[in-house]
Amino acid sequence: SRPPCSSTDNTDSCSTGESSRESSRCSTPGPDADRADRLREKMRRRIESGDPWFSLEFFPPRTSSGAVNLISRFDRMGFGGPLFIDITWHPAGDPGSDKETSSMMIASTAVNYCGLESILHLTCCNQTKENITAHLSKAKRLGLKNIMALRGDPLGDSWEEEEGGFSYATDLVKHIRCEFDDYFDICVAGYPTGHPEADGYHADLKHLKEKVDAGADFVITQLFFRAETFLSFVKDCRAIGITCPILPGVFPIQGYQSLRQLVKLSKLEVPKEIMEVIEPIKDNDAAIRNYGIQQAVEMCKVLLDSGVVPGLHFFTLNREVATIQVLRQLGLWIEDPRRPLPWAISAHPKRKVEDVRPIFWASRPKSYIYRTQDWDEFPNGRWGNSSSPAFGELNDYYLFYLKSKCSKDALLQMWGEELTSEESVFEVFTNYITAQANLSGHKVMCLPWNDDPLAPETNLLKDELEKVNRRGILTINSQPNINGKPSSDPIVGWGPPGGYVFQKAYLEFFTSSENVTALLKVLRKYEPRVNYHIVNVQGKNLTNAHDMQPNAVTWGIFPGREIIQPTVVDPVSFMYWKDEAFALWIEQWAKLYEEESPSRMIIQYIHDNYYLVNLVDNDFPLDNCLWQVIDDMFDLLDAPPEPLQ
Amino acid sequence: SRPPCSSTDNTDSCSTGESSRESSRCSTPGPDADRADRLREKMRRRIESGDPWFSLEFFPPRTSSGAVNLISRFDRMGFGGPLFIDITWHPAGDPGSDKETSSMMIASTAVNYCGLESILHLTCCNQTKENITAHLSKAKRLGLKNIMALRGDPLGDSWEEEEGGFSYATDLVKHIRCEFDDYFDICVAGYPTGHPEADGYHADLKHLKEKVDAGADFVITQLFFRAETFLSFVKDCRAIGITCPILPGVFPIQGYQSLRQLVKLSKLEVPKEIMEVIEPIKDNDAAIRNYGIQQAVEMCKVLLDSGVVPGLHFFTLNREVATIQVLRQLGLWIEDPRRPLPWAISAHPKRKVEDVRPIFWASRPKSYIYRTQDWDEFPNGRWGNSSSPAFGELNDYYLFYLKSKCSKDALLQMWGEELTSEESVFEVFTNYITAQANLSGHKVMCLPWNDDPLAPETNLLKDELEKVNRRGILTINSQPNINGKPSSDPIVGWGPPGGYVFQKAYLEFFTSSENVTALLKVLRKYEPRVNYHIVNVQGKNLTNAHDMQPNAVTWGIFPGREIIQPTVVDPVSFMYWKDEAFALWIEQWAKLYEEESPSRMIIQYIHDNYYLVNLVDNDFPLDNCLWQVIDDMFDLLDAPPEPLQ
């Protein structure tokens, strides 16, 4: 029941717009069918199976460090399993720009780097059609698939229609459908107590009906304070023929000031029974928040029990605690998230078939996504294909979503105010592995190659890793071998239930050229069980592996599916990773120190002289032999020199 | 050192010819690197690794039943591991035609259906350039990649040059290179005692040098009787700058008449020491053959020991015993061939990346190749893709390479001169499984769906299969579950050494609709462990599987490679297989009986009313539960009806 572009529309703008459907390229359904669906399809399936969801609303940050924090929050809150998040449009903040803090870039980051299904808000007042089309084209180009179409508030006090612009959200919905056909899923706002500027509640319902008839897929409501307000609103919507999903906007009260501000903006009245509780405790933030959580939980229970609410939409105010608490109490927060793949997926539509990556970027998935953002396809066939499109350059180490969350001071405390020898670098690596405080009392929480503390899986190898790092095997990536653990395994499991996951043992480290010489001798004994790639910063490359053939090191077998092999050691991309891995020594570590300082020269020396080594033990059903390889190498180095004959 | 098309050549023919290189399409190197290489590359690698090979020469058969037999011989002799076979050009036998017996079609069958690297002979005398180009284009279209370029013998006594044709093999070599660039590998003939029509041995050596300089890749010699003949010939070739491989043509004497005939044709003289042995035993075929084997073995040993012979080429006379005996005694015959994939591969160049097939055609690989011969690509991505090119129709059940090797009488003896009930059909299936004689004393060696006796792997399931076939579960395909056996396992192993192979248990059978009703009830208990597809001849389709997603049922993990999953249960192709599987009841079985005979009506009834069922047990590490599923089905059928309440 989607209306065609009306004949009174400007046909010019219709024909020049991008009227494109999803490509008809067929492919095997991915490991996660849900991932390939558009938002309205996901909603349809959840409604059919009676499986309520939640979603989270954020606003764009004001500062670039605020952006870094918000994106970490996306990662953390993403684990809880929101069906989608949405980013408000902030007209005063240059919302369509490339600034790190713009609505557009925040939404793009959420989709591309955090793998979150996201809705970008878009307001139409005070904007030209051309402007709006440009925003939508850019959103599409960035991989955004969902728009919340809003009128927005006029900038001044009085409403002035922009020439050639739109007066109502309905016009914006029509415009999106006309210019972009069915590409976007469109959400519109509902006002359970009527829009403040509409001529009454029923006139406003009629406007909502028009917006839906114009092509909106679902409705998210403005906040409200009583469940019955929303429930009677839904009843009235259904009565006039609005049949799409209507999602309640839930606002857990988080503080006195934020409540007052929001109420002022939305021109809502806070019910007396709530004000009576809040006023006496208005200076006690914790008490108000606890009340807000309790109040929200109770209201949400009524909503869910009503049978007409398929999902709950939370206005988070960019905060975590209250919303997560409410969701936990409702049992909607996923405590033990199942990973669809062993790495963090991206929600960009062109990446929805992506099911394999090189293991090298395991701790830097955002960097991998960034460097491959210009690729057109993400098939298996790319691996081992030297003619595949190149990886993007990583010149801009200050790219905000790749930035360390730590300050320079914090990094110096962790990695050493002053380095005196290569051994002091070994110590930093060892302290990272053991998570123990260093001599100056600071825990090493990250390394240039690892933004976060040791993964639970890597922790399985902790003792061996500690031992070898002490001796200058500076590990940056590793995984244990796994011979068929259930896909539900809390540490190494991933993928749909009922399957089995497998891994080949993997170890990647920097080490000195002396060690490499001994290692190469030792590795001869481990042919063909162990594959290696050994490379220095100049690109000198030693390997016993096929120069094109990738080695699958993580795979899973699932009921009724093809094999999934999400992680490979790929000889071609290893050369690109090598550049990045070596550069991080300089960009993230050496540059902490003054030029020509001894500390900086030590890091520079390692950068210039060490090799990056990766080892795969192909015999996954047997005990991991890579530790034995390293032991043999040290034995060889420790052996007395052969006597002269 | 390949000469460009000479400027005196007819440039017209150059520009109109197909000057095409292999497509530059890149892909992951397949499971068997060797498979993707062209013949001269394979030779180069075998020479480098000092690994001598053998090859086999055949001539085209005269009759269509001769063709069926020859193709079975290709399959059997292919197991021994020839590097290539070659098919002689039989000018009197319409050699380039589509006849089942033509040189062209025999070579094409060897490549496409038997997976053998093959060389097609081609003679140029008495042929126009256009004719030759047409033959070459056809050969290329059929997937042939290697040509033995010969002058051939004039048809009459005197040599008459065809207008616009060629006088010498050198011209043919030039023509191939000119018209088809580097597409074909070209072989030319060498004459260790000089060509009978050449002006002496040295003039002939010069001709050979010209042929090689014109673009030939290697030389196969005419037969000879003394190793030193060949060795001094090679020495002379090297002396004048012929550097390519020179392969000795070995002729094990197999009988007095065939020796005399060959000697007459080749105008060679049989050495006195050989004639002296043979003449006295000329009426004792066995004695002559034994002598021939011994003589060939001794000569081959000298050749191999010389260090200048990289491989031996055998003139088989289309017989197996003598050549295989010689090869066994030389240790060149592979007794326990390693399978690169679990199914018989095709050597067509466009299929060299093929690494996955539906399991349904496991016993009918030639039919699968035939029905997919028009496909352009063979990627993984085809599976689960409803827009994939359709399977070819299988209207011509008499297609000679799909023909049963048995006569109608033999089939009636095995499958019953007269059928009296469905149970008598059950008995045929059971007798096939048990390999025991039926009531009339005949063993059931094949079924319409299985040309050969039970595979060793299926034999593992023999007891269970017998039990269920007796009760009307008419099995046509099955495999046991395998949880990581070495790739070298003699029964279920495949692929390169050092790997592990896995399987999900699979069972496919026809059964009555009553059984299916009970089965469907039982299968509910086995969700989601067991996936099923159940379909009748009308296409009524019952399944609990994704309608597009294939289920990998055979896969292998190998050192330094991606996962290989060569066999899938694919829902899309199952519908095509269903048509073929049901049609075989009628085409191969029912039609043995008179129309409207009770026997025919029984088969027709089964065809019209039974269902084709396939079951996969996804939980490969556990014991196969499919037998329990069948047991449960029979228990349900045997249970007393529920009492009325």
Side-chain angles (χ1 to χ4, degrees):
Chain A
S1 70
R2 185 132 298 152
C5 290
S6 105
S7 57
T8 59
D9 272 333
N10 180 342
T11 50
D12 256 10
S13 69
C14 275
S15 55
T16 55
E18 306 182 33
S19 173
S20 62
R21 295 181 176 277
E22 287 274 83
S23 143
S24 67
R25 170 175 179 271
C26 274
S27 71
T28 299
D32 181 9
D34 200 50
R35 194 175 146 200
D37 277 346
R38 51 195 305 165
L39 180 52
R40 66 186 184 216
E41 281 306 304
K42 292 181 188 176
M43 287 187 183
R44 192 186 50 73
R45 283 203 282 122
R46 296 282 284 256
I47 291 170
E48 275 174 13
S49 61
D51 185 11
W53 70 79
F54 70 91
S55 49
L56 305 169
E57 183 163 314
F58 300 92
F59 51 79
R62 261 171 307 177
T63 65
S64 115
S65 74
V68 170
N69 288 333
L70 182 60
I71 288 155
S72 305
R73 183 161 295 127
F74 287 169
D75 285 339
R76 288 191 298 273
M77 295 189 84
F79 281 122
L83 186 68
F84 62 89
I85 68 162
D86 62 328
I87 309 295
T88 61
W89 189 252
H90 190 207
D94 205 356
S97 75
D98 288 342
K99 285 200 306 192
E100 299 157 7
T101 53
S102 77
S103 299
M104 185 74 81
M105 294 319 287
I106 291 292
S108 163
T109 302
V111 166
N112 287 291
Y113 296 96
C114 306
L116 296 169
E117 181 82 56
S118 304
I119 303 178
L120 176 65
H121 290 219
L122 185 62
T123 60
C124 59
C125 79
N126 300 107
Q127 293 210 64
T128 62
K129 273 191 187 181
E130 290 65 33
N131 239 335
I132 285 170
T133 300
H135 287 322
L136 289 164
S137 296
K138 180 170 185 174
K140 183 180 169 186
R141 207 166 54 244
L142 291 170
L144 295 166
K145 299 168 292 179
N146 313 294
I147 297 291
M148 174 116 178
L150 299 163
R151 191 192 70 176
D153 298 312
L155 287 177
D157 263 347
S158 69
W159 180 261
E160 267 182 72
E161 198 173 322
E162 178 83 12
E163 192 147 343
F166 301 113
S167 312
Y168 298 104
T170 306
D171 300 326
L172 178 54
V173 174
K174 283 182 184 163
H175 179 74
I176 297 172
R177 285 287 170 241
C178 181
E179 296 280 304
F180 294 87
D181 200 352
D182 205 30
Y183 178 78
F184 289 106
D185 280 9
I186 301 176
C187 172
V188 290
Y191 300 90
T193 53
H195 190 279
E197 290 171 26
D199 305 328
Y201 177 77
H202 286 283
D204 198 58
L205 271 183
K206 255 187 69 184
H207 287 150
L208 182 59
K209 176 77 163 56
E210 284 165 16
K211 289 193 280 190
V212 173
D213 288 347
D217 295 296
F218 55 99
V219 174
I220 296 178
T221 75
Q222 181 54 285
L223 66 91
F224 52 89
F225 294 99
R226 291 178 181 133
E228 55 272 28
T229 309
F230 177 80
L231 295 175
S232 66
F233 172 68
V234 171
K235 206 171 148 191
D236 295 337
C237 287
R238 300 305 183 219
I240 64 162
I242 297 170
T243 57
C244 67
I246 303 172
L247 312 178
V250 177
F251 174 71
I253 297 167
Q254 305 201 42
Y256 188 70
Q257 287 311 322
S258 63
L259 175 65
R260 273 173 56 110
Q261 203 183 349
L262 198 89
V263 164
K264 189 180 148 207
L265 277 172
S266 61
K267 297 176 182 140
L268 288 177
E269 208 173 315
V270 182
K272 216 175 74 188
E273 70 268 20
I274 292 181
M275 285 315 291
E276 278 170 1
V277 178
I278 284 183
E279 281 292 346
I281 54 171
K282 69 181 180 185
D283 297 322
N284 184 342
D285 284 354
I288 288 193
R289 200 167 60 208
N290 284 339
Y291 168 73
I293 290 168
Q294 216 36 56
Q295 193 267 341
V297 167
E298 273 157 30
M299 190 179 77
C300 289
K301 281 183 177 164
V302 176
L303 291 172
L304 291 173
D305 288 348
S306 74
V308 304
V309 173
L312 302 167
H313 187 71
F314 285 84
F315 300 109
T316 66
L317 304 185
N318 287 17
R319 295 188 203 149
E320 282 169 71
V321 179
T323 301
I324 294 179
Q325 285 270 9
V326 172
L327 286 165
R328 284 212 160 108
Q329 292 194 33
L330 292 170
L332 291 177
W333 186 260
I334 300 178
E335 297 293 343
D336 183 18
R338 293 192 59 81
R339 302 184 295 170
L341 287 171
W343 33 262
I345 60 175
S346 166
H348 193 292
K350 75 179 178 181
R351 297 186 92 115
K352 68 189 177 187
V353 296
E354 182 177 22
D355 61 1
V356 57
R357 288 187 188 169
I359 196 171
F360 318 122
W361 280 270
S363 302
R364 291 174 62 79
K366 291 188 174 68
S367 164
Y368 179 76
I369 293 167
Y370 174 70
R371 297 191 68 183
T372 60
Q373 64 187 343
D374 292 332
W375 290 10
D376 290 328
E377 285 186 273
F378 295 86
N380 282 2
R382 177 173 316 283
W383 307 115
N385 181 345
S386 64
S387 72
S388 67
F391 283 75
E393 292 297 326
L394 197 66
N395 292 325
D396 182 7
Y397 292 91
Y398 303 99
L399 196 69
F400 76 95
Y401 37 76
L402 294 176
K403 226 176 181 172
S404 172
K405 276 165 280 177
C406 302
S407 66
K408 180 177 172 182
D409 283 351
L411 293 176
L412 282 168
Q413 286 171 348
M414 290 194 285
W415 301 344
E417 304 277 353
E418 212 181 314
L419 301 171
T420 54
S421 66
E422 290 169 66
E423 282 71 23
S424 49
V425 173
F426 301 177
E427 212 176 299
V428 174
F429 276 80
T430 309
N431 286 330
Y432 171 74
I433 297 291
T434 58
Q436 280 166 5
N438 60 19
L439 290 178
S440 57
H442 296 281
K443 283 194 184 180
V444 180
M445 304 299 287
C446 63
L447 285 176
W449 307 268
N450 299 277
D451 265 351
D452 297 303
L454 227 51
E457 182 188 8
T458 316
N459 229 356
L460 300 173
L461 308 172
K462 197 173 151 182
D463 293 345
E464 289 91 347
L465 289 170
E466 177 186 348
K467 202 174 123 194
V468 302
N469 274 283
R470 273 195 202 293
R471 298 194 66 179
I473 299 288
L474 306 177
T475 61
I476 61 170
N477 195 358
S478 60
Q479 69 175 22
N481 60 317
I482 301 293
N483 186 16
K485 288 224 183 182
S487 59
S488 56
D489 184 277
I491 295 177
V492 299
W494 53 271
Y500 294 90
V501 298
F502 294 79
Q503 293 180 179
K504 293 179 180 175
Y506 179 76
L507 190 62
E508 184 181 333
F509 53 86
F510 291 101
T511 203
S512 68
S513 62
E514 295 73 28
N515 285 351
V516 162
T517 306
L519 185 63
L520 280 166
K521 277 193 195 138
V522 163
L523 281 167
R524 283 185 217 140
K525 281 197 309 177
Y526 291 88
E527 295 264 6
R529 179 168 173 181
V530 175
N531 279 119
Y532 60 85
H533 292 89
I534 302 178
V535 64
N536 67 3
V537 72
Q538 286 87 30
K540 184 180 170 193
N541 184 16
L542 307 157
T543 181
N544 69 341
H546 191 287
D547 62 351
M548 295 287 274
Q549 174 74 258
N551 191 347
V553 292
T554 303
W555 64 99
I557 317 297
F558 302 95
R561 288 169 184 266
E562 291 191 84
I563 314 298
I564 308 175
Q565 56 160 32
T567 329
V568 295
V569 168
D570 170 57
V572 177
S573 56
F574 185 59
M575 291 300 115
Y576 292 95
W577 165 246
K578 175 266 291 179
D579 293 337
E580 182 170 336
F582 276 103
L584 288 167
W585 281 107
I586 304 300
E587 297 296 330
Q588 298 224 1
W589 198 337
K591 288 188 175 172
L592 296 175
Y593 308 106
E594 305 232 335
E595 277 190 56
E596 300 192 38
S597 65
S599 298
R600 185 152 176 174
M601 285 164 69
I602 287 167
I603 300 297
Q604 185 75 49
Y605 176 83
I606 290 177
H607 170 270
D608 294 347
N609 293 283
Y610 275 37
Y611 281 77
L612 180 63
V613 178
N614 76 47
L615 303 176
V616 176
D617 176 3
N618 287 298
D619 223 337
F620 62 94
L622 309 184
D623 281 346
N624 178 354
C625 74
L626 300 181
W627 308 117
Q628 190 60 49
V629 170
I630 305 288
D631 277 353
D632 289 358
M633 180 198 84
F634 283 122
D635 287 350
L636 184 64
L637 288 165
D638 292 345
E642 286 183 26
L644 291 173
Q645 300 272 319
Chain B
S1 70
R2 187 131 297 153
C5 290
S6 105
S7 57
T8 58
D9 271 333
N10 182 344
T11 48
D12 255 11
S13 71
C14 274
S15 55
T16 56
E18 307 182 31
S19 172
S20 63
R21 297 183 173 276
E22 286 274 84
S23 145
S24 66
R25 173 175 178 272
C26 275
S27 70
T28 298
D32 181 10
D34 200 51
R35 192 177 149 199
D37 276 348
R38 51 194 305 164
L39 180 53
R40 67 186 186 218
E41 280 307 305
K42 291 181 190 176
M43 287 186 182
R44 192 186 51 73
R45 283 202 283 120
R46 294 281 286 255
I47 291 171
E48 275 174 13
S49 61
D51 185 11
W53 69 79
F54 70 92
S55 49
L56 304 170
E57 184 163 313
F58 299 92
F59 51 78
R62 262 172 305 178
T63 64
S64 118
S65 75
V68 170
N69 288 335
L70 182 59
I71 289 156
S72 305
R73 182 163 294 129
F74 287 168
D75 284 339
R76 288 191 299 272
M77 295 189 84
F79 280 121
L83 187 67
F84 62 88
I85 70 163
D86 62 328
I87 308 295
T88 60
W89 189 252
H90 190 209
D94 203 355
S97 74
D98 288 342
K99 285 200 307 192
E100 299 157 9
T101 54
S102 76
S103 300
M104 185 72 82
M105 293 319 286
I106 292 293
S108 163
T109 302
V111 166
N112 287 291
Y113 296 97
C114 307
L116 296 169
E117 180 82 56
S118 305
I119 303 178
L120 176 65
H121 290 220
L122 185 62
T123 60
C124 59
C125 79
N126 299 107
Q127 294 211 62
T128 62
K129 273 192 188 182
E130 290 65 34
N131 240 336
I132 285 169
T133 302
H135 287 322
L136 290 164
S137 296
K138 180 171 185 174
K140 183 179 169 187
R141 208 166 54 243
L142 291 170
L144 295 166
K145 297 168 293 180
N146 313 293
I147 297 291
M148 175 118 178
L150 298 164
R151 191 193 67 175
D153 298 314
L155 287 177
D157 263 348
S158 68
W159 180 261
E160 265 182 72
E161 196 171 325
E162 178 83 13
E163 191 144 346
F166 301 112
S167 315
Y168 298 104
T170 307
D171 300 326
L172 179 55
V173 174
K174 284 181 184 164
H175 179 74
I176 297 171
R177 285 286 171 241
C178 182
E179 297 280 304
F180 294 86
D181 199 353
D182 204 31
Y183 178 80
F184 289 106
D185 280 10
I186 300 175
C187 173
V188 291
Y191 299 90
T193 53
H195 189 279
E197 289 173 25
D199 306 329
Y201 178 77
H202 287 283
D204 198 56
L205 271 182
K206 255 187 67 185
H207 286 153
L208 182 58
K209 176 79 161 60
E210 285 165 15
K211 289 193 278 189
V212 173
D213 288 347
D217 295 296
F218 55 97
V219 174
I220 296 179
T221 74
Q222 183 53 286
L223 67 91
F224 51 89
F225 294 98
R226 293 177 178 135
E228 54 272 28
T229 310
F230 177 81
L231 295 174
S232 67
F233 171 69
V234 171
K235 209 172 148 191
D236 295 336
C237 287
R238 300 304 182 218
I240 63 162
I242 296 170
T243 58
C244 67
I246 302 172
L247 312 179
V250 178
F251 175 71
I253 298 167
Q254 304 201 41
Y256 188 71
Q257 286 312 320
S258 62
L259 176 65
R260 274 175 55 110
Q261 201 181 349
L262 199 86
V263 164
K264 188 179 151 210
L265 276 172
S266 62
K267 296 176 181 139
L268 288 176
E269 208 173 315
V270 182
K272 216 176 73 187
E273 70 268 23
I274 291 181
M275 285 315 290
E276 278 171 1
V277 178
I278 283 182
E279 282 290 351
I281 55 171
K282 66 180 180 183
D283 297 321
N284 183 343
D285 284 353
I288 290 195
R289 199 167 60 208
N290 284 340
Y291 168 74
I293 289 167
Q294 215 37 56
Q295 193 266 341
V297 167
E298 274 156 30
M299 189 180 77
C300 288
K301 280 184 178 164
V302 176
L303 291 172
L304 290 172
D305 288 348
S306 74
V308 304
V309 173
L312 302 168
H313 186 71
F314 286 84
F315 301 109
T316 66
L317 304 186
N318 287 15
R319 295 187 203 152
E320 282 169 71
V321 178
T323 302
I324 294 179
Q325 285 269 10
V326 173
L327 286 166
R328 283 211 161 109
Q329 292 194 33
L330 293 169
L332 291 177
W333 186 258
I334 299 177
E335 298 292 345
D336 182 17
R338 292 192 59 81
R339 303 183 293 170
L341 287 171
W343 33 261
I345 60 174
S346 166
H348 193 290
K350 74 179 178 179
R351 297 186 92 115
K352 69 187 177 190
V353 295
E354 182 178 23
D355 61 359
V356 57
R357 287 187 189 170
I359 195 170
F360 318 121
W361 281 269
S363 302
R364 291 174 62 80
K366 291 188 174 69
S367 164
Y368 180 76
I369 293 167
Y370 173 70
R371 296 192 67 183
T372 60
Q373 65 187 342
D374 292 331
W375 290 9
D376 291 327
E377 285 184 275
F378 296 87
N380 281 1
R382 177 172 317 282
W383 307 115
N385 183 345
S386 63
S387 72
S388 68
F391 284 75
E393 292 296 328
L394 196 66
N395 292 325
D396 181 5
Y397 291 90
Y398 302 100
L399 196 67
F400 78 97
Y401 36 76
L402 294 177
K403 225 176 181 173
S404 174
K405 277 166 278 180
C406 302
S407 66
K408 180 177 171 178
D409 283 349
L411 293 177
L412 282 169
Q413 286 171 347
M414 289 194 283
W415 302 345
E417 305 277 356
E418 210 182 318
L419 301 173
T420 53
S421 65
E422 290 168 65
E423 281 71 24
S424 49
V425 174
F426 301 176
E427 212 177 298
V428 175
F429 277 81
T430 309
N431 285 332
Y432 171 73
I433 297 292
T434 59
Q436 281 167 3
N438 59 20
L439 289 178
S440 58
H442 297 280
K443 282 193 186 183
V444 181
M445 304 299 286
C446 63
L447 286 177
W449 306 269
N450 300 277
D451 264 351
D452 297 303
L454 228 50
E457 183 188 8
T458 316
N459 230 355
L460 299 173
L461 308 172
K462 196 172 153 182
D463 293 345
E464 288 90 349
L465 288 170
E466 178 186 349
K467 202 174 122 196
V468 302
N469 274 283
R470 273 196 202 292
R471 300 194 64 180
I473 299 288
L474 306 177
T475 62
I476 60 171
N477 195 359
S478 59
Q479 69 176 22
N481 61 315
I482 301 293
N483 186 15
K485 288 227 183 180
S487 58
S488 56
D489 184 277
I491 295 178
V492 299
W494 54 271
Y500 294 90
V501 297
F502 294 79
Q503 293 180 178
K504 292 179 181 175
Y506 179 75
L507 190 61
E508 185 181 331
F509 54 85
F510 291 101
T511 202
S512 67
S513 63
E514 294 73 26
N515 285 352
V516 163
T517 306
L519 184 62
L520 282 167
K521 277 193 196 139
V522 163
L523 281 166
R524 282 186 218 140
K525 283 197 310 179
Y526 291 88
E527 296 264 6
R529 179 167 172 181
V530 175
N531 278 120
Y532 61 85
H533 292 89
I534 302 177
V535 65
N536 67 3
V537 73
Q538 286 87 30
K540 184 181 171 193
N541 185 16
L542 307 157
T543 180
N544 68 341
H546 191 288
D547 61 352
M548 294 289 272
Q549 174 74 257
N551 191 348
V553 292
T554 302
W555 63 99
I557 317 296
F558 302 95
R561 289 170 184 265
E562 292 191 84
I563 314 299
I564 308 175
Q565 55 160 33
T567 330
V568 295
V569 169
D570 171 56
V572 177
S573 56
F574 184 60
M575 291 300 115
Y576 292 95
W577 165 247
K578 175 264 295 180
D579 293 338
E580 182 170 335
F582 275 103
L584 289 167
W585 281 108
I586 304 299
E587 296 296 329
Q588 301 224 358
W589 199 335
K591 288 188 176 171
L592 295 176
Y593 308 106
E594 304 232 334
E595 277 190 58
E596 300 191 36
S597 66
S599 297
R600 185 150 176 174
M601 284 165 70
I602 287 167
I603 301 296
Q604 184 75 47
Y605 175 84
I606 290 177
H607 170 269
D608 294 348
N609 293 283
Y610 275 36
Y611 281 77
L612 180 63
V613 178
N614 77 48
L615 303 176
V616 176
D617 176 3
N618 286 297
D619 222 337
F620 62 96
L622 310 184
D623 282 345
N624 178 354
C625 74
L626 300 182
W627 307 117
Q628 190 60 51
V629 170
I630 305 288
D631 277 354
D632 289 359
M633 182 198 83
F634 282 123
D635 286 350
L636 183 64
L637 288 164
D638 293 345
E642 287 183 27
L644 291 172
Q645 300 268 316

